[in-house]
Amino acid sequence: MSNEIIFSEVSKFYGEVLGVNRVSLNVPPGITSLVGPNGSGKTTLMNLMCGLIHADQGTISVRGMSPRDPEKLMRSMGYCTQFDAAPRGYSGYQFVSAALLLHGYSAAEADERTWKAIDRVNLREAAHRKVAGYSKGMRQRIRLAQSIAHEPEVLILDEPLNGLDPLVRAETIALFREFAALGRHVILSSHVLQEVDVISDQVILIANGSIIAEGQIHNVREEMSEHPSQFLIRCPDAARVASLLFAEDHITEVRLHADRMGLLVLTRSRERFSHLLNEIVLGGQAIESIVQADANVDSLYEYLIGGGR
Amino acid sequence: MNLWAKQVLTIARLEVRKAFLSKRGLWVYVLALFPAVIFLVHGFDVKLKRQRWSSQITDHALLEGVQAGETASDVRMRLGPPLMDREFGRRRRGEDGERLEEERYRHLRYFDGQRRYDFHFTNGVLKEKFEQPLATLEENSQVFAGVFQYFYLRLAVFFGCLGIFMNLFRGEMLDKTLHFWFLAPVRREVLLVGKYGAGLVAAAVIFGAGTIVTFLAMLWGLDPADVQAYWQSAGPGHLFWYTVATVLGCVGYGSVFLAAGLLMRNPIIPAVVILFWEAINGFLPAVLQKLSVLYYLQSLCPLPPPVDKEVPAVMRVLLAPAEPAPAALAILGLLGVTVLVLWVASRAVRRLEVNYATD
């Protein structure tokens, strides 16, 4: 049985509105981030994986299971949705324990697992309060508790870090890493790209319902050979270095910093840029530091969505 | 216990409280208890009158002996002071069309302990005599049969089930909580049965209790001796079959509205269509009649509803099944219709998607 999540030519339409279009993906275990703007199809992909919606075309396999078989699938899957509501009148404790009872756990075991999950998200104090009275961050945490309470092999989280304070955010990220370290799938979406950049093993970039890039973040970057890399250079004679750089055709843009001791350089070839810098240094120009300015998903994403500008 | 059975029980247990105490469904209690309130008020009125009039009971034979043509003063002298003595005059044009003639009317009421007698005099002479029991078991039973078939089954149970069962899935869509259930490791069909079970328990308890309370309220104002005799003869059987019809009404209409809630967004459309179907059912061929919940329920009722002689023949067809089915067949037929409808609902719930934006 495959331990990957596989999308094969999956399309989903909401009436005449495109959800996702001919998506093919192989998601290995580890932390995978779905990145894209609002309406790009991130939640649609997640809902398709969980069987909350059904594909119009194509097939989906989650570790060998079909999303159309919730009885089997949801034993191994936890989904922390963006849907904010809990069944009417439920307390945080009831919200988690009711889901565990539906798994078939005995009342005692469900109680034990409920408290364990609630403790993991630090909500013990508020466990018997109604979910409807929770703050946004607390609702986020109780949903997370519910999704991890049965120790799923696949944990799917739609914008899981929204509304969390920095401390809880750090604890939550640690929890994701803990899950991933056990060989499980952790798939999350976020529009806070810096967070995704830091915690992900893989990234899937999605726009307008189509996958535009997937893989490890650095590999994705390598694949985008046309993607201009940005570098910040500090040097005493920035104007002279700028003129030397600009003579090369792979350099697409050079901006001089206001203090005339810094440069922002855009190049289409990291390799040739590296050789050029060596020659400049050997030619007697002092270079104090070189920093890559765009080594996060943000820049890559902007580049890809922006059509390779 | 089998996992599916355990899951059905868990779902039903989680849902049943909501089905009983949903703020959206409080009007269901009003529907269920409305006839009981009417019968209680009537019973209270009968008891009050009996208590008030018992101090002035007139001999039955004397009352029967009053004949048309007697004068009011003779009747009063023979029977004694009445419960009520009203007199009024009315002026009308004479035969010549000009002269105004005055007619004097008088109304005397007596009570023999069971019946009331009303004597209407015109210009001092007895013209009309009315005799009416204060309340009889036969009359109340007829009224109950009418209320049960025309109001309770056709409207109260019908709309009550609409309120309870349509909400089971559609309400979750509106509350944006359906994903909670769909993300559980539960077959959709098991979820359907669990939710149906919760709705059925709520509907059967509310309307079954409503039927029993209404039945007891119907007996409340009657002569205790008549009531006791009734309980020792047909009473328990009648109560049993009325309750069975109510519960089976919840079974049948519940499945229909559960399916409707899965197939349609607007509850008014299925309600009108099903109400219309049930209403015209009496005119349909026998085969189609059997695709109606009401056909089987009416077949189970122990007494036919009272139909006034002046009611047109066409309306009579509407009010009673053309050829009632035997009780066993009615129960099996209704359960068959229910299973068929639940099968359709299970197909729908498998296809159902969580897409709150469009609901």
Side-chain angles (χ1 to χ4, degrees):
Chain A
M1 189 175 73
S2 166
N3 72 339
E4 290 195 328
I5 296 172
I6 302 165
F7 282 69
S8 303
E9 293 285 308
V10 172
S11 296
K12 174 68 187 174
F13 291 86
Y14 299 104
E16 291 183 359
V17 179
L18 173 70
V20 291
N21 188 27
R22 302 188 68 179
V23 169
S24 291
L25 278 174
N26 278 43
V27 185
I31 301 179
T32 301
S33 295
L34 284 170
V35 185
N38 287 338
S40 60
K42 301 186 299 288
T43 302
T44 297
L45 277 184
M46 294 182 154
N47 288 350
L48 283 166
M49 272 183 252
C50 301
L52 289 185
I53 55 174
H54 306 306
D56 295 319
Q57 287 170 23
T59 56
I60 302 167
S61 166
V62 180
R63 290 185 168 227
M65 292 172 283
S66 165
R68 286 188 180 268
D69 184 4
E71 189 180 17
K72 201 170 164 191
L73 177 75
M74 297 316 296
R75 288 198 182 283
S76 317
M77 182 184 275
Y79 184 17
C80 179
T81 68
Q82 268 202 80
F83 306 129
D84 219 15
R88 203 174 280 218
Y90 275 28
S91 67
Y93 174 87
Q94 287 170 319
F95 182 60
V96 180
S97 72
L100 288 169
L101 290 171
L102 290 172
H103 275 260
Y105 291 114
S106 67
E109 198 174 352
D111 178 71
E112 188 189 325
R113 282 177 177 269
T114 299
W115 283 120
K116 192 175 162 192
I118 284 174
D119 284 341
R120 284 178 92 169
V121 297
N122 288 324
L123 265 182
R124 184 172 270 266
E125 301 262 311
H128 288 300
R129 278 166 48 195
K130 300 261 188 263
V131 174
Y134 280 7
S135 67
K136 189 179 176 187
M138 289 163 83
R139 285 202 293 270
Q140 184 79 293
R141 281 148 67 192
I142 201 68
R143 287 202 300 272
L144 180 60
Q146 192 216 45
S147 63
I148 62 172
H150 57 291
E151 295 287 337
E153 290 299 315
V154 180
L155 180 60
I156 299 178
L157 308 118
D158 199 356
E159 308 270 0
L161 303 173
N162 265 3
L164 301 184
D165 63 54
L167 183 65
V168 178
R169 184 177 292 223
E171 288 171 355
T172 308
I173 289 171
L175 194 143
F176 298 161
R177 287 190 167 131
E178 195 185 306
F179 257 75
L182 295 169
R184 297 170 176 174
H185 277 87
V186 178
I187 298 174
L188 56 97
S189 70
S190 174
H191 60 266
V192 183
L193 302 181
Q194 287 80 0
E195 285 169 351
V196 170
D197 195 4
V198 172
I199 64 177
S200 304
D201 298 318
Q202 287 90 223
V203 63
I204 295 167
L205 302 176
I206 181 168
N208 300 321
S210 297
I211 303 299
I212 52 172
E214 62 162 308
Q216 290 184 351
I217 187 164
H218 296 295
N219 293 342
V220 170
R221 174 185 289 285
E222 290 303 323
E223 283 170 21
M224 301 292 122
S225 56
E226 286 299 301
H227 175 210
S229 300
Q230 294 183 27
F231 292 90
L232 286 170
I233 302 173
R234 295 297 293 177
C235 55
D237 190 357
R240 174 67 187 146
V241 173
S243 68
L244 290 169
L245 289 171
F246 218 58
E248 299 290 320
D249 61 355
H250 60 88
I251 303 293
T252 58
E253 192 174 337
V254 179
R255 284 188 207 166
L256 196 58
H257 194 267
D259 65 4
R260 302 189 72 81
M261 291 179 70
L263 289 171
L264 175 70
V265 183
L266 267 75
T267 173
R268 288 192 183 280
S269 170
R270 290 152 59 101
E271 199 176 338
R272 289 173 67 192
F273 176 68
S274 175
H275 286 302
L276 179 60
L277 273 181
N278 282 343
E279 286 171 17
I280 289 170
V281 172
L282 289 171
Q285 289 295 328
I287 303 283
E288 292 170 2
S289 68
I290 304 167
V291 177
Q292 191 169 346
D294 59 353
N296 60 17
V297 175
D298 224 342
S299 63
L300 182 57
Y301 178 71
E302 286 297 327
Y303 167 72
L304 291 166
I305 302 300
R309 229 171 356 95
Chain B
M1 191 192 290
N2 170 293
L3 178 66
W4 288 358
K6 199 173 168 185
Q7 286 178 326
V8 165
L9 283 178
T10 304
I11 294 163
R13 199 163 44 81
L14 292 170
E15 283 289 272
V16 79
R17 190 169 168 269
K18 200 166 69 184
F20 270 114
L21 300 174
S22 160
K23 277 183 192 166
R24 287 196 196 113
L26 290 178
W27 55 271
V28 172
Y29 288 91
V30 176
L31 274 181
L33 295 172
F34 179 68
V37 172
I38 299 293
F39 275 108
L40 280 175
V41 169
H42 174 67
F44 184 72
D45 180 52
V46 168
K47 274 185 176 290
L48 206 67
K49 278 179 181 159
R50 181 168 284 134
Q51 194 180 19
R52 213 170 53 218
W53 294 351
S54 292
S55 58
Q56 250 179 293
I57 290 177
T58 308
D59 182 69
H60 176 70
L62 286 176
L63 288 164
E64 285 294 319
V66 176
Q67 300 293 325
E70 289 189 56
T71 64
S73 51
D74 285 347
V75 170
R76 257 198 85 124
M77 196 178 298
R78 201 161 73 244
L79 301 183
L83 291 168
M84 189 181 78
D85 186 351
R86 278 195 195 137
E87 193 168 3
F88 60 97
R90 191 196 291 166
R91 287 188 182 175
R92 343 179 8 180
R93 293 218 172 269
E95 286 175 358
D96 58 5
E98 287 183 7
R99 198 160 42 87
L100 286 175
E101 291 177 350
E102 183 175 291
E103 280 191 335
R104 301 297 302 168
Y105 295 94
R106 194 167 180 186
H107 174 197
L108 300 180
R109 176 175 290 167
Y110 289 89
F111 180 58
D112 72 350
Q114 292 298 331
R115 293 176 172 78
R116 74 183 198 198
Y117 288 78
D118 290 286
F119 302 110
H120 293 267
F121 299 88
T122 305
N123 293 329
V125 178
L126 180 63
K127 295 287 185 192
E128 287 172 314
K129 173 183 169 183
F130 298 101
E131 174 198 337
Q132 193 182 6
L134 195 53
T136 65
L137 179 62
E138 190 186 357
E139 185 190 47
N140 277 18
S141 298
Q142 285 288 303
V143 173
F144 182 89
V147 168
F148 186 76
Q149 291 207 28
Y150 299 157
F151 172 77
Y152 213 65
L153 289 184
R154 283 170 190 269
L155 298 175
V157 173
F158 181 90
F159 283 105
C161 286
L162 184 144
I164 291 170
F165 287 89
M166 285 282 283
N167 256 335
L168 291 175
F169 281 95
R170 191 55 49 195
E172 300 273 10
M173 283 290 219
L174 294 174
D175 288 346
K176 299 187 176 178
T177 52
L178 186 61
H179 64 278
F180 174 82
W181 301 102
F182 279 10
L183 291 175
V186 177
R187 277 179 78 94
R188 296 271 178 97
E189 292 88 342
V190 170
L191 177 63
L192 180 99
V193 173
K195 278 182 167 276
Y196 176 71
L200 188 57
V201 168
V205 168
I206 293 169
F207 287 103
T211 300
I212 294 168
V213 171
T214 306
F215 192 84
L216 296 177
M218 178 268 286
L219 299 175
W220 186 51
L222 299 175
D223 185 352
D226 287 349
V227 173
Q228 194 181 1
Y230 183 55
W231 279 125
Q232 285 167 356
S233 54
H238 286 181
L239 178 59
F240 174 77
W241 284 111
Y242 280 127
T243 310
V244 167
T246 303
V247 171
L248 286 175
C250 298
V251 169
Y253 286 130
S255 66
V256 169
F257 288 118
L258 181 72
L262 286 164
L263 295 167
M264 309 190 85
R265 287 185 189 144
N266 187 346
I268 294 171
I269 296 167
V272 169
V273 170
I274 297 163
L275 198 61
F276 179 71
W277 174 259
E278 295 285 68
I280 63 157
N281 194 263
F283 297 106
L284 299 175
V287 175
L288 290 178
Q289 279 198 19
K290 286 165 189 163
L291 285 176
S292 151
V293 173
L294 197 61
Y295 169 77
Y296 298 107
L297 298 182
Q298 285 181 315
S299 300
L300 290 172
C301 290
L303 294 177
V307 180
D308 200 285
K309 286 173 188 164
E310 290 171 10
V311 171
V314 174
M315 285 298 290
R316 284 170 195 249
V317 178
L318 270 178
L319 300 175
E323 198 181 322
L329 196 66
I331 293 170
L332 286 175
L334 194 119
L335 293 178
V337 170
T338 301
V339 168
L340 180 71
V341 175
L342 285 178
W343 178 77
V344 172
S346 74
R347 306 280 295 176
V349 78
R350 277 192 75 80
R351 288 194 305 270
L352 189 64
E353 296 188 343
V354 173
N355 189 5
Y356 300 137
T358 59
D359 280 281

